[in-house]
């Protein structure tokens, strides 16, 4: 098992390789230097070779009965002593176009990650990570189907962030039918996995039966995909439950031409109240930021730290063409007013990450400026679940890297092989 492919650093990649000859990193994020390109090898062909070999050798074993899997994660909330448990379940979910208004996105996607995941899917014909999906169930009825009376977990593992992951196999047909009925009318928001979802959707359309034929099954059978590619592996989590944690993702801007921190602070006063702060720790800055009402940012430059508090009328005038619910988002104001208007980083530069890095660690964001590795860092408050719900269900999207759901879903707990 591993963290999701896009959360695996080079150091983690090496560590996973050393941990086991059967670690999933060899399939989802292989080391390019291990392959002989002249012989036609690539990370994708090697991934397919390893996946097939592991199935033949019994390293990976196909379940004998149709299953879903209850999946719980117990963790300490970063930056606090609070312990929470997030509960959900892993199952196949039907793929829908966004226009059908069953599945909703909240972020834009990039072409490069989708191309990479499509190459892996083409080579292996399997899904190794789950799409993280949110549904609404204030009464918690879905969780009760899965967890009431649950005994010892069938598998458990503690990851490198000290998160305890536990999985229970659910193969009772009556329980699965009850679960499917409870989920039948749910609308879903993609929390994590936009690129993989859109890749799977494109792949499903490419492999749709030419004659429109679909697998037929009687009413007393368990739900099945219309054709294998028409579904993808998902982890479903109740957005109304207390286990959900969204962390902020801070912005670090670097390599600007002739950045003048004093002139920048002066220009920002058109849109924000600007208060100079003394040198302090990132933890102190975050605590100050949490205490603010309305939109606020903690800005760190080489000239010192500043607290930006939005001037509502000036922001409304600057974002007059932006929908109201978007206009209220801290990150919309950061991207549209500060990054674009004040620093000259338009949407294309932000999308291509020409001058911007995204960091979860506030301390590292501050230190990069203080070490001279960046021009300015912006510490932010997290997006709320209510904001995410409103924007997604309105069919709108937030700026890139708006949400960081913690903890991540492990890859390799279950695999959906299309063949």
């Amino acid at each position: 098992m591993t963290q999701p492919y896009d959360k695996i650093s080079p150091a983690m990649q090496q560590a996973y390789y050393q941990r086991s000859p059967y670690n999933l990193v060899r399939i989802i994020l292989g080391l390019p230097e291990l392959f002989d390109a002249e012989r036609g090898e690539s990370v994708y062909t090697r991934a397919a070779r390893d996946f097939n070999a592991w199935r033949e050798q019994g390293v990976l074993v196909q379940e004998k009965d149709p299953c879903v899997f209850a999946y719980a994660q117990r963790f300490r909330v970063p930056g606090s002593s609070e312990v929470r448990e997030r509960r959900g379940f892993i199952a196949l979910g039907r793929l829908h176009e966004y226009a059908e208004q069953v599945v909703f996105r909240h972020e834009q996607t990039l072409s490069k990650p989708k191309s990479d995941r499509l190459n892996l899917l083409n080579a292996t014909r399997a899904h190794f990570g789950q799409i993280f999906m949110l549904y609404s169930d204030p009464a918690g009825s879905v969780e009760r189907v899965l967890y009431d009376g649950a005994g010892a977990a069938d598998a458990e593992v503690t990851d490198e962030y000290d998160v305890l992951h536990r999985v229970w196999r659910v193969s009772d047909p009556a329980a699965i039918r009850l679960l499917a009925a409870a989920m039948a009318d749910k609308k879903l928001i993609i929390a994590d996995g936009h690129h993989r979802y859109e890749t799977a959707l494109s792949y499903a359309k490419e492999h749709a039966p030419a004659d429109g034929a679909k697998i037929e099954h009687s009413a007393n059978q368990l739900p099945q995909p219309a054709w294998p590619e028409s579904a993808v592996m998902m982890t479903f989590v109740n957005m109304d439950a207390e286990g959900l944690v969204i962390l902020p993702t801070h912005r670090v801007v670097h390599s600007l031409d002739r950045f003048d921190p004093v002139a920048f602070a002066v220009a920002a006063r058109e849109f924000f109240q600007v208060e100079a702060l003394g040198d302090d720790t990132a933890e102190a800055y975050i605590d100050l930021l949490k205490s603010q009402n309305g939109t606020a940012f903690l800005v760190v430059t080489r000239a010192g730290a500043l607290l930006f508090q939005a001037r509502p009328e000036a922001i409304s005038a600057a974002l007059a063409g932006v929908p109201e619910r978007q206009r209220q988002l801290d990150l919309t104001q950061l991207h549209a007013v500060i990054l674009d208007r004040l620093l000259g980083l338009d949407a294309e530069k932000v999308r291509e990450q020409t001058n911007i890095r995204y960091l979860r660690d506030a301390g590292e964001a501050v230190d990069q400026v203080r070490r001279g590795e960046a021009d300015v860092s912006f510490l932010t408050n997290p997006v709320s679940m209510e904001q995410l719900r409103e924007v997604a269900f309105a069919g709108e999207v937030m700026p890139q890297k708006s949400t960081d759901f913690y903890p991540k879903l492990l890859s390799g707990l279950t695999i959906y092989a299309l063949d």
Side-chain angles (χ1 to χ4, degrees):
M1 289 164 278
T2 75
Q3 295 295 321
Y5 80 100
D6 56 343
K7 300 299 178 183
I8 299 174
S9 68
M12 291 167 67
Q13 187 182 30
Q14 292 286 352
Y16 285 143
Y17 257 85
Q18 294 168 13
R19 187 167 295 171
S20 168
Y22 304 113
N23 188 275
L24 194 72
V25 75
R26 296 167 186 267
I27 291 175
I28 64 171
L29 197 66
L31 288 166
E33 59 265 30
L34 298 183
F35 311 121
D36 188 348
E38 292 183 1
R39 294 172 53 192
E41 261 198 339
S42 71
V43 290
Y44 308 112
T45 60
R46 181 59 181 268
R49 192 177 82 186
D50 282 347
F51 180 51
N52 292 332
W54 295 355
R55 295 178 75 180
E56 291 169 1
Q57 296 164 13
V59 175
L60 299 173
V61 179
Q62 181 74 42
E63 289 286 351
K64 294 182 177 63
D65 301 309
C67 302
V68 298
F69 297 86
Y71 176 23
Q73 297 165 286
R74 186 170 297 165
F75 60 98
R76 184 180 61 81
V77 178
S80 77
S81 59
E82 181 184 1
V83 174
R84 294 194 189 186
E85 181 163 283
R86 187 173 71 195
R87 291 181 168 186
F89 67 97
I90 306 170
L92 294 186
R94 186 181 305 154
L95 289 157
H96 291 270
E97 297 276 7
Y98 296 135
E100 297 176 60
Q101 296 193 319
V102 174
V103 173
F104 296 80
R105 61 180 178 166
H106 76 271
E107 284 186 349
Q108 296 281 16
T109 54
L110 304 174
S111 58
K112 185 176 179 181
K114 284 191 282 189
S115 173
D116 168 57
R117 292 300 97 180
L118 183 58
N119 288 337
L120 182 65
L121 182 55
N122 273 317
T124 61
R125 296 270 300 154
H127 296 282
F128 301 97
Q130 314 114 48
I131 314 297
F132 186 168
M133 289 293 196
L134 301 171
Y135 66 92
S136 181
D137 180 22
S141 56
V142 172
E143 283 184 34
R144 285 197 293 274
V145 172
L146 292 161
Y147 289 95
D148 281 3
D154 292 297
E156 64 177 54
V157 62
T158 301
D159 69 16
E160 53 265 84
Y161 301 108
D162 205 31
V163 177
L164 174 64
H165 303 257
R166 293 185 294 164
V167 175
W168 293 260
R169 179 188 293 103
V170 180
S171 58
D172 176 16
I176 295 175
R177 288 193 193 95
L178 194 60
L179 184 66
M183 292 295 295
D185 63 346
K186 303 295 186 191
K187 295 185 182 297
L188 305 174
I189 296 174
I190 302 173
D192 266 336
H194 289 77
H195 292 95
R196 282 173 289 137
Y197 183 83
E198 293 177 15
T199 296
L201 184 60
S202 298
Y203 195 76
K205 290 188 287 188
E206 289 175 12
H207 291 80
D211 58 2
K214 298 179 180 179
I215 296 174
E216 298 293 336
H217 56 277
S218 62
N220 63 351
Q221 282 183 298
L222 293 175
Q224 296 292 328
W227 65 96
E229 297 85 357
S230 67
V232 71
M233 193 163 56
M234 300 177 181
T235 292
F236 300 88
V237 174
N238 181 8
M239 71 176 78
D240 301 305
E242 294 183 355
L244 274 177
V245 172
I246 305 176
L247 300 178
T249 301
H250 311 297
R251 273 64 173 156
V252 178
V253 177
H254 60 91
S255 308
L256 295 173
D257 291 333
R258 298 181 298 277
F259 176 70
D260 182 338
V262 176
F264 166 68
V266 171
R269 293 181 191 278
E270 180 183 351
F271 307 101
F272 301 91
Q273 295 179 29
V274 178
E275 177 186 346
L277 304 173
D279 286 344
D280 213 328
T281 64
E283 291 78 9
Y285 290 151
I286 290 294
D287 287 342
L288 175 63
L289 193 57
K290 287 178 181 176
S291 70
Q292 303 305 307
N293 294 319
T295 299
F297 307 106
L298 202 298
V299 183
V300 180
T301 72
R302 297 175 195 178
L306 305 164
L307 177 65
F308 280 22
Q309 295 171 296
R311 297 179 181 274
E313 291 183 4
I315 292 293
S316 294
L319 302 180
V322 177
E324 176 63 25
R325 67 180 62 84
Q326 288 271 25
R327 199 183 307 162
Q328 300 303 317
L329 294 175
D330 293 15
L331 291 177
T332 297
Q333 297 182 26
L334 174 57
H335 279 248
V337 177
I338 299 178
L339 297 185
D340 192 343
R341 293 180 68 143
L342 298 181
L343 296 180
L345 300 182
D346 60 19
E348 168 121 12
K349 288 180 179 177
V350 171
R351 190 164 48 246
E352 297 304 320
Q353 299 185 27
T354 307
N355 299 89
I356 190 168
R357 291 189 285 263
Y358 300 92
L359 295 178
R360 176 192 291 174
D361 187 335
E364 179 61 18
V366 171
D367 288 345
Q368 286 193 9
V369 174
R370 290 176 174 171
R371 292 196 301 259
E373 298 169 5
D375 297 306
V376 55
S377 288
F378 300 95
L379 307 188
T380 68
N381 281 318
V383 169
S384 70
M385 192 62 242
E386 291 71 26
Q387 290 173 321
L388 174 63
R389 187 197 309 244
E390 285 185 14
V391 169
F393 284 152
E396 300 170 6
V397 292
M398 296 179 175
Q400 279 176 257
K401 306 287 186 182
S402 290
T403 57
D404 182 3
F405 284 88
Y406 184 86
K408 299 304 178 187
L409 308 175
L410 286 188
S411 295
L413 292 168
T414 58
I415 295 169
Y416 176 39
L418 300 176
D419 297 322

